[in-house]
Amino acid sequence: MRQSKECVFDEGMGCGERLRQARETAGLTHEDVSARLRMPARVIAALEAEDRSSLDAPVFVRGQLRSYARLLGLDIEAELVEARVAAVTPPELVSHTHVPRVRWVAEQLARRAIYIAVTAVIAVPVWMATSPHLVNNGLALHSLDPPISGATTAMTGGGAPAPAPRTPLVASFTTMPRNTTAPATALSLTFNADSWVQIIGADGRSLEQGEVAAGESRRYAVGEVGRVVLGNSSAVVVKQAGEPVDLAPFSRANVARFTLSSDGSLVPVGN
């Protein structure tokens, strides 16, 4: 970004005033900043005037101010703290249910007993119905020991018929193939800068909500995510089934909103 002259800030100046002076020093208009940040010009004007009543939630304002300051080469972290544009603290998860260990062990034993009983109910009738069927077909049990040569010679020499040759029994062992396919990843998020996220599961419950630091990533399986909101979306790399996704159709004021359909594709939603 080019600057026509050096920008000097007065002590005690707020975020909006610093951004306005830096923009004017750089020779940029609201429309220029809007085109570069893909943010409406009215939002740029509201940020400079510090009129947050017409903007989104404070956590989205943080992302918009940081994107604007990054474009102008400013550091406004101290002003963000003084301006009470605080980060959203993720809600504390408190468990309201507790299963005693004795009850848990009893439930496990009951499940195993039911499994054994069901297996016996299915296997025993099959075995009883199959055993007479094998005998009626003329199949007989044979010893796996080799015949005694002396006894065979005596019977053949005395005129008695020689025993019929025995059919060898062969046991076959087949190894069942193992399924080594890992669960497919339907959606992955990589954060190149601090961003705010809201992830709603396909069943309507909240999977995650709050600020995510730069360098972190999230991955979700097929059918796990239903709706996604991303603040500072220009700093988030989204991949669907391993392929990068262009967030422009889903973004407004650097906030992306979309849902995941049943086949895993992304669909934009209204504000």
Side-chain angles (χ1 to χ4, degrees), residues 130-167:
T130 305
S131 296
H133 174 71
L134 295 178
V135 174
N136 292 336
N137 282 344
L139 299 179
L141 298 178
H142 297 280
S143 173
L144 297 179
D145 296 332
I148 302 175
S149 59
T152 303
T153 302
M155 294 181 66
T156 54
R166 295 177 178 178
T167 303

Side-chain angles (χ1 to χ4, degrees), residues 55-88:
L55 299 174
D56 285 331
V59 68
F60 292 119
V61 176
R62 285 173 61 90
Q64 292 165 346
L65 288 173
R66 282 174 171 165
S67 298
Y68 194 177
R70 191 180 302 111
L71 175 66
L72 300 175
L74 297 180
D75 181 7
I76 61 170
E77 291 300 322
E79 286 79 359
L80 287 178
V81 176
E82 295 178 0
R84 295 179 298 174
V85 186
V88 174

Side-chain angles (χ1 to χ4, degrees), residues 2 5 21 51 73 84 104 132 137 142 159 163 169 176:
R2 54 184 179 85
K5 59 182 179 178
Q21 288 194 10
D51 179 16
R84 295 179 298 174
W104 181 84
N137 282 344
H142 297 280
L169 302 179
M176 299 298 293

Side-chain angles (χ1 to χ4, degrees), residues 183-259:
T185 299
L187 184 70
S188 66
L189 310 175
T190 303
F191 300 87
N192 297 325
D194 293 350
S195 305
W196 187 90
V197 301
Q198 183 184 42
I199 310 295
I200 304 299
D203 55 359
R205 62 188 178 89
S206 177
L207 300 181
E208 183 169 359
Q209 178 174 332
E211 189 169 3
V212 179
E216 295 190 15
S217 62
R218 301 289 188 274
R219 290 177 175 82
Y220 302 95
V222 176
E224 184 177 3
V225 177
R227 187 173 187 270
V228 177
V229 179
L230 297 175
N232 194 20
S233 59
S234 59
V236 184
V237 177
V238 178
K239 291 185 178 181
Q240 189 267 331
E243 296 295 331
V245 176
D246 181 12
L247 293 180
F250 314 106
S251 300
R252 180 181 179 186
N254 206 22
V255 177
R257 297 177 174 88
F258 56 85
T259 61

Side-chain angles (χ1 to χ4, degrees), residues 8 14 24 27 29 42 58 63 83-84 94 99 111 178 181 183-184 188 190 195 198 208-209 216 235 237 266:
V8 179
E24 293 176 350
T29 65
R42 65 173 182 80
R84 295 179 298 174
V94 179
V99 179
R111 292 192 184 99
R178 298 177 60 186
T181 304
S188 66
T190 303
S195 305
Q198 183 184 42
E208 183 169 359
Q209 178 174 332
E216 295 190 15
V237 177
L266 274 63

